[in-house]
Amino acid sequence: MDAVDKRVRAFVRVKPTADFAQDVIKFGPDNKSIDIYIKKDAKKGVVNNKQTDWSFRLDGVLHNTSQELAYETVAKKLVSEALIGYNGTIMCYGQTGAGKTYTMTGATAEYKHRGIIPRAIQQVFKATAQSVDPFVTVRISYLEIYNETLFDLLATVTSNGTSDVPMAVVDCPQGVYVKGLSIHSVSHEEDALNLLFEAGETNRVIAEHTLNKNSSRSHCIFTIYIESRFRVFSDVKCVNSKINLIDLAGSERLSKTGSEGQVLKEATYINKSLSFLEQIIVALADPKRDHIPFRQSKLTHVLKDSLGGNCNTVLVANICGEAVHVEETLSSLRFATRMKWITTEPVINETYDREGTVKALEKEIILLKQELAMHDSLGNRSLVTYDPLTDIQIAEIKSQVHRYLKGGIDEIDIVNVRQVQEVFKQFKLIVSQQEHEVEARLRSKYALIDKNDFAAVAAVRKAGVVDVDGHLVQEEDRRDFGTRTAPFASRRGGKKKSRRSNEQPKKERIGSSLSRRDLDGFLPSKSQVIIPTKDLDMKEGARNQDTADIDAEVSKPAPVEDSQQPSSPPSKPLAFEQFKEECGSEINRIFKENKSILLARKKRSSTVAQRINFIKHEMEGIKKALEAQKQERWQQGEYVDDKGQIIIDEKEFLLIMKLKDLKEEYRSGYAELQDLKAEIQYCQHLVDQCRNKLISEFEIWYSESFLIPKDVQEALKPGGNIRPGMIPINRVTCLEEDEQERFERMQETTLPACPASLSFYKAKMKTDQKHTYARTMSSLEQMRKKPGLVAAAGKNKPLSFLHV
Ligand code: ADP
Ligand code: MG
């Protein structure tokens, strides 16, 4: 929309007359401007101010114009925009007898003299008849405002001329409406015209008037309401608009009418409401005004949402062409010009009909169900329904899912979407139930600490309760069923003893002692790392003694006592020390060597960097001294030899030589530093690699030394094809774990009901364990028999993957 369209449009229509004042009223060649010339002495006393010429620029001048052309110019666009949702207002303003009613309603006698209202009605119905898509309803109302009282000009059509509802102008978020005003649905052009002519015109308050006996002192507002409903998929979009066609009362001054008594009172009212209208128009044209006093008269209140704003507004100023009316003509043109300054920002009034949408959706669902039913009958699936599942059906699905999980059935047949959704729901339910059960079981057995609490985790690690990855190292109840605990002290103190010997070291409680000391203050805490609770149940008194013992143990390894069997594996830090002395000694040596090389390179690098910095500093000093020399030379005058070269003194020469040497030194230092950096990087990489290897070898060694059951270790004795690291530790340790787990589960579920069965189940479990062991051994035997399966490797052969 361009700037012109964003303002109220104003036209002037001149009533044809044989006595047209050619000298007074002149039209511009573009038919948009109108000039008024008044001779000072032409009419004494009427115009006595200094200005005699006026020029008005409007959107169009309708002079000797047919009703049809007037409609095309003034209304057609506005009505067509109303059909797509923009509100529109057309107002006729002017003195009585100037042709307002003629313009708005027209002469009822002849078709071609019909005015804007019947033509607008025609355009609306023509458009609705042509449009295929929207469902359009047209309604009309006809309101008269006379002496600040509202009259329903169509009330007699439905009632007997009297309306019980007191009419009032009401503001609401959707706009202004007149409460009690009858609004009539019209399905044909003719219906609407009937209402306009028969009811409207006959009911209008008309007073005898000296100027024109048919003129009136009331304002009449004919409104066409258009509602279009579109189906956009399942939504129902509603576009609402209204066209206000307003025939204002005469704007002439009182003195001229010669009215008296009742008529004089009416005239006063007319002027008052029109002057309020003028005030409103001045206010609306001022962008700084935020309050517009619409409510000060019925007319302005009713027109609140019809003047500018989001509405297309058009004004027609009806004027008389005779010189005698020049004063009224001037006043009407001024009004029209002011109207032009009101800005408009028309918007489409569209809403979504929720009720309509729901109804449309319901209808669509019914249709879809019918269609599905048809497909089902065609596909021989007549039992399928699309209604929500019943409780019985849900119970059936639940039992199906349980049977499926237990392996009772291989698959669940898909019946329909609702059933699939229910199946998933049941799965979700089972998963969440299991999660809760597992958590409850762990909580009843273990104390939990926060894995993000680094201090606590470090303490636990130090205590050997969990390893570097946070995995549990010790299990309190291993002894109860344990055949897995390997001798610890047999591999301590650097003595080369067989790892799988049955020699018993002295009883070790180092790991748990550390845990007691270091965990103090961290527990209980939020969960994730699991610690056996038994370790925490130590008495305070025993604690200090244990701590002292550990320190002694760590600093000085205890002597090996072959006759003793450890009841639990050693803590990892201690085991690590042992590992570094035994199997891991070679890799540890390489690791240390790499580290010392790295350290030496770093030291050298730091020395060189310091030296470079010193040189740089010195160079800057010499540069400054040289600059000073140069300045001095300039000030004292320069000596030049026969070749034109500047001669410098000895001091300056020495400084230059020194600078040259320093530069050289700087360059070589810098190069060395670069080389050192590369070397450091390389060494660092070696050290990291070594460290990782050391740790991973240790992990394997630790697992195989302390976590693999004794009998399995037998199978790994030297000479066999199985070397450390070959069997995944989880595969070995899980053999008994399963039995144990099963027993625990059984304890939880069966035993509380029947405690007497404990012995029976314990015995059964031991038998099961034996069978499992036998199976494992035979499979290991088979693996060993297969030639070439695994390359033989000396178990204690040092690892030499890295050479520095
Ligand atoms: P108003 O409503 O402003 O008081 P009317 O519309 O009643 O004035 O006009 C007064 C008379 O002038 C009417 O008889 C009307 O038919 C006639 N008249 C007004 N304008 C025109 C016009 N443009 N062409 C022909 N007749 C007109
Ligand atoms: Mg009139």
Side-chain angles (χ1 to χ4, degrees):
M1 201 173 271
D2 57 26
V4 174
D5 282 335
K6 283 198 165 186
R7 293 187 184 277
V8 168
R9 291 192 306 145
F11 298 89
V12 63
R13 190 176 194 192
V14 189
K15 184 182 155 186
T17 172
D19 195 16
F20 184 74
Q22 287 177 358
D23 300 337
V24 179
I25 303 167
K26 290 202 170 138
F27 306 113
D30 59 352
N31 231 18
K32 283 188 176 174
S33 56
I34 181 165
D35 298 333
I36 308 288
Y37 300 94
I38 300 174
K39 284 175 196 155
K40 266 184 186 173
D41 55 341
K43 194 137 179 55
K44 264 191 186 157
V46 175
V47 177
N48 56 6
N49 53 5
K50 282 162 200 153
Q51 192 178 358
T52 53
D53 300 341
W54 287 267
S55 189
F56 300 94
R57 191 162 174 83
L58 300 154
D59 292 289
V61 176
L62 306 168
H63 181 46
N64 288 330
T65 314
S66 68
Q67 289 285 66
E68 189 180 351
L69 187 59
Y71 182 78
E72 300 243 319
T73 315
V74 168
K76 199 168 181 183
K77 184 167 175 250
L78 183 141
V79 174
S80 59
E81 288 191 352
L83 283 161
I84 54 165
Y86 295 98
N87 287 342
T89 297
I90 304 173
M91 270 196 301
C92 285
Y93 179 96
Q95 68 179 108
T96 299
K100 298 184 294 297
T101 307
Y102 182 80
T103 304
M104 199 46 83
T105 312
T108 46
E110 240 187 297
Y111 180 68
K112 68 172 180 181
H113 292 150
R114 71 199 192 284
I116 290 173
I117 297 175
R119 283 171 198 270
I121 290 170
Q122 191 174 48
Q123 190 183 339
V124 167
F125 277 104
K126 257 192 184 164
T128 59
Q130 279 166 6
S131 76
V132 193
D133 186 31
F135 180 73
V136 186
T137 53
V138 182
R139 294 176 305 154
I140 56 169
S141 69
Y142 207 174
L143 175 75
E144 181 179 26
I145 304 169
Y146 175 71
N147 283 357
E148 283 300 281
T149 312
L150 306 167
F151 291 92
D152 184 352
L153 293 177
L154 300 180
T156 49
V157 178
T158 44
S159 65
N160 292 325
T162 51
S163 175
D164 299 335
V165 192
M167 295 215 290
V169 188
V170 180
D171 281 290
C172 75
Q174 286 77 37
V176 177
Y177 75 101
V178 178
K179 201 174 126 197
L181 178 68
S182 63
I183 300 175
H184 303 258
S185 262
V186 279
S187 44
H188 303 285
E189 183 188 344
E190 197 186 313
D191 290 353
L193 291 175
N194 276 340
L195 290 174
L196 170 70
F197 300 136
E198 289 171 29
E201 286 308 293
T202 49
N203 284 338
R204 191 169 173 184
V205 175
I206 298 163
E208 281 292 316
H209 203 283
T210 53
L211 274 175
N212 186 327
K213 66 180 178 136
N214 290 323
S215 290
S216 112
R217 278 154 296 282
S218 63
H219 314 287
C220 288
I221 304 171
F222 187 88
T223 309
I224 306 172
Y225 307 83
I226 307 163
E227 187 185 281
S228 311
R229 283 164 177 267
F230 302 83
R231 266 291 290 277
V232 183
F233 299 105
S234 55
D235 285 344
V236 175
K237 192 171 83 169
C238 281
V239 177
N240 288 290
S241 58
K242 60 179 179 181
I243 308 167
N244 283 317
L245 302 169
I246 307 164
D247 183 355
L248 291 167
S251 61
E252 65 277 1
R253 294 178 306 170
L254 274 173
S255 62
K256 225 172 159 193
T257 61
S259 306
E260 284 170 14
Q262 174 65 18
V263 176
L264 180 67
K265 188 185 160 205
E266 287 166 1
T268 315
Y269 270 106
I270 293 158
N271 273 356
K272 205 173 163 189
S273 64
L274 281 180
S275 71
F276 282 140
L277 180 64
E278 259 197 84
Q279 283 176 28
I280 295 289
I281 280 152
V282 170
L284 283 170
D286 180 1
K288 282 177 229 134
R289 280 286 289 269
D290 49 0
H291 175 68
I292 314 290
F294 282 109
R295 297 172 74 120
Q296 59 190 356
S297 78
K298 292 277 189 303
L299 175 72
T300 50
H301 198 181
V302 168
L303 297 181
K304 189 179 168 184
D305 59 359
S306 305
L307 294 170
N310 62 5
C311 172
N312 284 314
T313 308
V314 174
L315 178 90
V316 180
N318 290 96
I319 58 165
C320 295
E322 294 89 356
V324 69
H325 295 301
V326 71
E327 194 190 346
E328 297 299 343
T329 298
L330 266 176
S331 148
S332 296
L333 289 171
R334 280 196 203 104
F335 183 84
T337 318
R338 274 190 219 112
M339 276 294 278
K340 250 177 76 77
W341 287 106
I342 300 176
T343 52
T344 63
E345 195 116 19
V347 289
I348 292 178
N349 303 289
E350 56 181 26
T351 53
Y352 284 86
D353 182 356
R354 293 249 168 107
E355 206 179 310
T357 306
V358 170
K359 274 186 187 152
L361 285 171
E362 281 171 353
K363 206 173 159 190
E364 205 163 296
I365 289 168
I366 291 167
L367 272 171
L368 287 170
K369 275 187 177 179
Q370 283 170 352
E371 187 136 320
L372 276 175
M374 201 176 80
H375 276 271
D376 290 337
S377 66
L378 288 173
N380 263 346
R381 297 191 303 148
S382 53
L383 288 173
V384 178
T385 64
Y386 300 96
D387 296 324
L389 297 170
T390 63
D391 288 348
I392 297 166
Q393 283 170 319
I394 292 171
E396 171 57 28
I397 291 170
K398 189 177 172 178
S399 103
Q400 235 179 4
V401 169
H402 277 275
R403 272 182 283 149
Y404 175 78
L405 284 173
K406 283 180 184 153
I409 49 172
D410 288 339
E411 52 193 36
I412 298 171
D413 285 336
I414 289 172
V415 180
N416 59 25
V417 176
R418 277 187 206 277
Q419 178 249 0
V420 170
Q421 281 172 338
E422 188 58 40
V423 166
F424 277 111
K425 213 165 114 186
Q426 290 299 333
F427 273 124
K428 196 175 171 184
L429 214 71
I430 291 167
V431 168
S432 84
Q433 274 170 1
Q434 282 186 348
E435 270 175 6
H436 282 112
E437 277 169 22
V438 167
E439 197 188 325
R441 224 161 67 201
L442 288 173
R443 279 185 187 284
S444 70
K445 195 172 169 190
Y446 299 106
L448 308 172
I449 66 159
D450 188 349
K451 213 171 179 181
N452 295 321
D453 186 345
F454 297 111
V457 173
V460 173
R461 256 184 221 159
K462 198 175 169 193
V465 180
V466 291
D467 61 18
V468 282
D469 301 321
H471 298 135
L472 188 63
V473 173
Q474 283 179 291
E475 286 179 46
E476 55 151 351
D477 50 359
R478 184 169 291 144
R479 265 169 293 162
D480 295 347
F481 306 99
T483 50
R484 285 170 291 168
T485 324
F488 164 57
S490 62
R491 284 166 296 282
R492 292 183 54 209
K495 301 246 165 52
K496 299 275 178 190
K497 283 181 193 272
S498 165
R499 201 191 290 172
R500 257 80 52 194
S501 78
N502 283 330
E503 292 155 342
Q504 310 272 302
K506 82 167 190 185
K507 195 183 173 198
E508 288 289 342
R509 294 288 301 160
I510 292 162
S512 43
S513 303
L514 265 173
S515 77
R516 282 192 298 277
R517 183 189 60 176
D518 294 329
L519 292 173
D520 203 2
F522 292 121
L523 298 168
S525 172
K526 264 171 51 194
S527 71
Q528 279 179 25
V529 174
I530 303 165
I531 307 162
T533 45
K534 259 187 201 170
D535 283 337
L536 306 171
D537 295 332
M538 299 299 289
K539 293 272 185 296
E540 193 66 37
R543 197 171 290 182
N544 297 332
Q545 186 52 48
D546 283 344
T547 313
D549 288 346
I550 302 142
D551 293 338
E553 287 291 336
V554 173
S555 57
K556 180 168 70 79
V560 178
E561 289 177 35
D562 290 346
S563 59
Q564 279 179 314
Q565 174 87 31
S567 54
S568 60
S571 75
K572 278 204 169 177
L574 279 178
F576 189 54
E577 291 307 313
Q578 184 196 343
F579 171 75
K580 283 194 284 189
E581 284 169 25
E582 291 182 14
C583 304
S585 63
E586 183 60 15
I587 180 155
N588 190 40
R589 185 189 62 74
I590 297 167
F591 175 62
K592 278 184 174 169
E593 219 171 275
N594 283 341
K595 243 168 107 172
S596 70
I597 293 168
L598 176 67
L599 206 72
R601 295 289 182 279
K602 278 184 174 170
K603 264 188 187 163
R604 174 70 195 146
S605 162
S606 144
T607 316
V608 173
Q610 270 178 12
R611 174 79 192 136
I612 285 175
N613 279 337
F614 178 75
I615 293 168
K616 210 175 161 195
H617 194 70
E618 231 181 324
M619 274 161 65
E620 273 161 15
I622 290 173
K623 273 181 191 165
K624 269 185 195 158
L626 273 171
E627 194 55 37
Q629 284 282 321
K630 220 173 174 180
Q631 291 289 334
E632 204 180 316
R633 188 159 25 90
W634 280 342
Q635 277 163 12
Q636 289 173 359
E638 291 177 331
Y639 295 98
V640 182
D641 67 6
D642 49 359
K643 284 177 189 160
Q645 283 182 332
I646 296 163
I647 297 165
I648 55 169
D649 66 8
E650 197 187 339
K651 194 179 163 193
E652 197 175 342
F653 175 76
L654 285 174
L655 280 173
I656 289 169
M657 291 313 288
K658 179 97 198 270
L659 187 64
K660 202 179 151 199
D661 289 348
L662 282 172
K663 270 185 185 166
E664 192 53 48
E665 212 179 324
Y666 181 86
R667 262 196 290 274
S668 72
Y670 187 79
E672 190 185 352
L673 195 65
Q674 291 305 108
D675 290 346
L676 279 168
K677 267 187 187 165
E679 249 181 296
I680 286 167
Q681 220 172 7
Y682 181 72
C683 284
Q684 185 68 58
H685 177 71
L686 290 180
V687 166
D688 291 344
Q689 226 177 339
C690 258
R691 185 186 291 113
N692 289 341
K693 187 71 189 169
L694 193 63
I695 291 168
S696 63
E697 287 291 321
F698 165 70
E699 287 298 332
I700 293 164
W701 173 84
Y702 186 87
S703 300
E704 289 182 358
S705 300
F706 305 112
L707 304 179
I708 296 174
K710 193 175 72 187
D711 303 305
V712 179
Q713 285 180 22
E714 285 295 322
L716 297 164
K717 272 188 175 171
N721 277 340
I722 300 170
R723 67 169 188 81
M726 187 190 138
I727 306 169
I729 188 70
N730 55 349
R731 254 183 67 188
V732 180
T733 50
C734 75
L735 297 172
E736 286 171 74
E737 200 69 24
D738 282 351
E739 302 299 330
Q740 194 181 321
E741 289 272 316
R742 215 178 301 158
F743 181 67
E744 277 168 8
R745 222 178 13 254
M746 185 267 299
Q747 264 185 324
E748 274 171 24
T749 53
T750 321
L751 292 186
C754 183
S757 59
L758 178 65
S759 310
F760 171 81
Y761 284 119
K762 265 191 170 174
K764 185 173 183 322
M765 196 196 69
K766 275 185 181 152
T767 319
D768 286 347
Q769 276 180 348
K770 269 184 199 160
H771 285 156
T772 312
Y773 169 65
R775 275 201 305 275
T776 312
M777 287 312 293
S778 70
S779 63
L780 282 170
E781 280 295 319
Q782 275 177 3
M783 280 171 78
R784 198 180 295 168
K785 275 176 198 161
K786 279 185 189 167
L789 183 72
V790 182
K795 184 173 60 62
N796 287 326
K797 198 177 161 192
L799 295 140
S800 53
F801 67 98
L802 245 178
H803 298 284
V804 183

